[in-house]
Amino acid sequence: MAHILHLDASPRGDRSVSRTLSKEFIANWKATHPSDTVTYRDLGHHPVPLIDEPWIAAAYSAPDQYTPEQAAAIRPSNELVDEFLAADRYVFSIPMYNFSIPANFKAYLDQIVRPGRTFSVDETGYKGLVHNKKMTIITARGGTYPEGTPTHAYDLQTPYLKLIFGFIGIVEIDFVHADGLAFGDDARDLAITNAQFALKTAVAQG
Ligand SMILES: Cc1cc2nc3c(=O)[nH]c(=O)nc-3n(C[C@H](O)[C@H](O)[C@H](O)COP(=O)(O)O)c2cc1C
């Protein structure tokens, strides 16, 4: 039995392609794995706080040294990290904004990439602390960024997500891109159909 963390980062509702695709993935997953459990986080509609100076001071000191202000600042991060570490598998839907991730997802990463909790650092360097987890990342993007084309370099979303989750130890990441959504109805329909197919395959593969 696996526990899944399902997260949507689009601030849109029913019009969101990434949100629609992740919802379908979870429905298919539950049909195939009825005993698995799911925690849902709607980052798009309920963003997490930005980190601030008391947060940083707390993240780099021992809990018994926290001032009341620092304890309050780090509390949401503790809850988000606990939630993140409790999952075996992640299904994150993340639109491309300005060739990268939306600010709400960056704020989430700043809360969960925590020294001593999701990575460690010592004289030998940095080490990820999150192991044996699988991640499916669903993106929705107006343009297309195929390898071997000039626009490939504009995709700062995929390499950044690979890097940051690799940094904390997550290396099994599947990307499903719904691309070219701004290129007319036919291109949009095809992109969504292809993404749906890829996600069904991902569910079947477990
Ligand atoms: C503020 C903003 C910035 C965007 N920047 C990009 C971009 O840099 N590249 C791209 O391909 N699409 C871009 N788009 C298009 C979105 O990625 C596309 O509309 C996608 O469907 C949004 O995800 P959603 O449907 O899940 O809300 C942008 C959209 C918005 C609203």
Side-chain angles (χ1 to χ4, degrees), residues 10 12 16-18 95-99 140-143 145 181:
S10 175
R12 300 205 293 174
S16 160
V17 173
S18 59
M96 176 181 271
Y97 279 1
N98 297 313
F99 305 109
R141 326 195 289 187
Y145 305 91
L181 298 171

Side-chain angles (χ1 to χ4, degrees), residues 6-174:
H6 171 203
L7 178 152
D8 287 325
S10 175
R12 300 205 293 174
D14 290 345
R15 291 159 59 90
S16 160
V17 173
S18 59
R19 202 176 265 280
T20 305
L21 289 170
S22 79
K23 199 172 163 184
E24 280 179 22
F25 179 98
I26 291 294
N28 287 335
W29 188 276
K30 278 185 177 161
T32 318
H33 305 90
S35 54
D36 285 0
T37 51
V38 180
T39 293
Y40 179 58
R41 178 158 291 279
D42 189 348
L43 204 57
H45 293 141
H46 303 284
V48 299
L50 298 179
I51 63 167
D52 55 13
E53 185 161 0
W55 187 102
I56 296 165
Y60 289 90
S61 54
D64 60 0
Q65 305 292 312
Y66 293 169
T67 64
E69 189 187 31
Q70 290 166 0
I74 205 76
R75 193 169 299 123
S77 171
N78 289 340
E79 289 167 9
L80 291 164
V81 171
D82 290 346
E83 177 184 88
F84 187 80
L85 294 177
D88 311 295
R89 185 175 182 118
Y90 306 97
V91 180
F92 287 180
S93 85
I94 310 171
M96 176 181 271
Y97 279 1
N98 297 313
F99 305 109
S100 183
I101 56 173
N104 66 26
F105 197 75
K106 180 58 166 59
Y108 177 75
L109 290 172
D110 289 345
Q111 293 284 357
I112 64 161
V113 178
R114 275 271 300 278
R117 302 256 6 232
T118 53
F119 74 93
S120 67
V121 56
D122 61 21
E123 62 283 355
T124 63
Y126 293 105
K127 284 191 194 70
L129 299 176
V130 189
H131 300 299
N132 305 316
K133 315 264 190 182
K134 271 175 110 171
M135 182 174 277
T136 299
I137 295 182
I138 301 165
T139 73
R141 326 195 289 187
T144 59
Y145 305 91
E147 274 187 61
T149 70
T151 57
H152 186 60
Y154 285 69
D155 178 7
L156 301 176
Q157 180 188 36
T158 313
Y160 178 64
L161 289 167
K162 270 188 198 160
L163 184 146
I164 194 66
F165 285 117
F167 178 74
I168 62 171
I170 299 172
V171 288
E172 266 194 272
I173 308 178
D174 285 333

